[in-house]
Amino acid sequence: MRVLITGAAGFLGSHLCEKFLEGGYQVVGMDNFITGRPENIVHLLGRKDFRFVEHNVTEYTYVEGPLEGVLHFASPASPIDYLEMPIPTLKVGSLGTHKALGLALAKGARFLLASTSEVYGDPQVHPQPETYWGHVNPVGPRGVYDEAKRFAEAMTMAYHRAHGVDTRIVRIFNTYGPRMRASDGRVVSNFIVQALRGEPLSVYGDGGQTRSFTYVDDLVEGIWRLFHSDRVDPTNVGNPGEFTVRQLADQVIAKTGSASTIAFHPLPEDDPKVRQPDITVARAVLGWEPTVSLDEGLDRTIPYFRELLQGVPACTA
Ligand code: UDP
């Protein structure tokens, strides 16, 4: 059994490569390193069951040999990245998804799309079930990511309906853990890095907005189960534990024992006010639910950043 994972050198992609290798698959990893990092996969390079291809999936994509699965995880995913790279973000979600689906069709492979809670936009239904169609500003700064992923979902369903490709769509909620970049820009990594450096924690807005944070191992287990299930409709995979950004800041300060204070910054445009997955479907269909609390996940993530920060220049907030 052999799978292609696009975005293999990214935070999630690299964990997913390991999961599939552990599960007995041969893995072909693909990345163009626009946000992925060679360090994330260097330990896999010597293995006979792992092959790496440096390639932009937005361009014509072909892989020699059989493939039973294509998992499309390539995309900038941090707001600061997709704001800096709006066109590559739109292209990998649209053209890249098309190329990856075309390859899955040609190989008779199952296809799994990494979608996102951002398809719900700034939600008016809370928590968000898969049946909610969302509340997205297509022309705002986040539209480049949100609409690319919405298009990717539509394209995935079209390949399923028109070409009979066996497809899966996972809607991923805010995920954190080892292998995030210090400069990733997302809230968990920013706060930990700032706390460890004794810098003020950059809270956007009044910090009253909420997110639900999933530890990477839980997410990867959910994706593994979804891939091996027969569920075609989109599926939320996320931890329903909901926290305000301010609560997260206080928790990170307490856990790191940092003397950092809080600095308030303007809220980015269209920043969703609330976010929490309804995981009724994942529980029922995949028998999945998260097992790692935010408290425990932070305990596993902080040591990774402590080590990473030795010798890394300051991050942006
Ligand atoms: N945020 C923050 N400080 C930061 C980074 C993010 O207060 O340094 C806030 C951001 O405004 C949002 C939440 O934390 O409300 C989650 O942001 P993130 O970029 O992690 O992901 P998002 O859920 O917005 O995609």
Side-chain angles (χ1 to χ4, degrees), residues 79 118 142 174 186-187 190 202 204 209 211 245 271 275:
E118 283 283 327
R142 300 174 83 101
N174 296 63
R186 277 176 286 194
V187 68
N190 269 6
S202 55
Y204 301 162
Q209 70 273 34
R211 292 294 186 273
V245 164
D271 197 285
R275 180 177 292 158

